[in-house]
Amino acid sequence: MKPSPLIYHRPRSIEEACQILAEVAHEGKVLAGGQSLIPMLSMRLAAPANLVDITAIDRLDSITASAGSGVTFQALATHAALASHPGANAVQPLLGRALQLVAHPTIRNRGTTVGSIVHADPSAEMPAVLLLLDGSVTVRSVRGSREIPARELFLGPLESALEPDEIATSVTVPGASAGVGVAIDEIARRHGDYALVGVAARVQVTDGEVTNARVTYVSAGEFGEVVDYRDVIGGASVADDRDPLWNRLSEAARERIETEADIHATARYRSQLVAALTARVVLRAARDGVASLATRPSAEHVEAGKK
């Protein structure tokens, strides 16, 4: 299939791109990596009258990282570039771990992480990561710039808080802290497919025990929600995976997270995946937190520079 007729724009600056979007109002779509948008255009699931291609804008693909300010990546930084960036991996390891789960290398080489986030797909990994890390998105328009916290970004499936004339120019996530571990895992029918269920966890440990555990889900639960399990898993031993609290966590996840059936899996099967993956990923994150006490600086500045 072919896209509906449209007017193609190729601005050379962010200011020009913002001006075009201001003029076309609700009839414009921004193209960066295009790995989600182009298939939607081809299948006519989206039919904008104007396509604003920002790939010709210089200096919009940088990645910077420091322990103090976290990781900031711009609109044209690809999944592959961010996943392989040594500074970003050192400052916030969950980024690289999650990006390795995104589709296939070909898509990661062209797809942009900012684009994936603002696309707001509940089946994608990076919105869940942004929520878990409590990051933010910076957007630009002719009216100026503003920062949208992750908790305010996602209004629903495929719906974000960006106004029609705004462009997401960068995303910032905080760096990791000593004693706080992160992990992510998912189950898919085939490697590279969308996950049947995915789980990302951020866990704080003190003296070998879990003190806090926050979890976000891919293809399960309410989109945009961060689930706090500290009331269930607080005090669990990180060293002992036979601690009864880990089984309790599995059952709590099964009870709290709603799942839906589709052509790929029943709701009951997805619920079982939620239960198993939640305990597995939270335990992995807890052990990452223990390891971080010996390896992760809590205050030193780690400068990573530009990509």
Side-chain angles (χ1 to χ4, degrees), residues 47-126:
N50 295 267
L51 189 64
V52 183
D53 182 353
I54 64 172
T55 58
I57 299 176
D58 290 334
R59 297 184 297 278
L60 199 58
D61 62 350
S62 70
I63 302 168
T64 58
S66 74
S69 57
V71 181
T72 297
F73 45 95
Q74 292 190 300
L76 297 181
T78 65
H79 298 312
L82 183 57
S84 62
H85 192 276
N89 284 316
V91 170
Q92 183 44 260
L94 185 59
L95 291 174
R97 295 171 190 175
L99 288 165
Q100 293 300 324
L101 300 175
V102 174
H104 299 280
T106 301
I107 290 176
R108 294 197 293 270
N109 285 337
R110 294 191 63 87
T112 60
T113 308
V114 173
S116 176
I117 288 170
V118 298
H119 184 55
D121 189 341
S123 301
E125 295 84 0
M126 298 317 293

Side-chain angles (χ1 to χ4, degrees), residues 3 17-18 34 38 43 83 117 151 169 202 238 240-241 273 279 290 297:
C18 289
I38 294 300
M43 291 184 286
I117 288 170
R151 61 185 176 276
T169 55
R202 187 172 184 268
V238 177
D240 184 7
D241 58 6
L273 293 180
V290 171

Side-chain angles (χ1 to χ4, degrees), residues 128-168:
V129 168
L130 182 74
L131 282 163
L132 183 67
L133 297 178
D134 198 22
S136 63
V137 178
T138 299
V139 300
R140 284 274 302 273
S141 70
V142 294
R143 294 173 283 111
S145 64
R146 67 185 179 114
E147 188 173 301
I148 307 175
R151 61 185 176 276
E152 299 175 8
L153 179 65
F154 303 110
L155 305 181
L158 303 179
E159 185 180 5
S160 77
L162 271 71
E163 297 294 337
D165 65 339
E166 290 181 322
I167 298 174

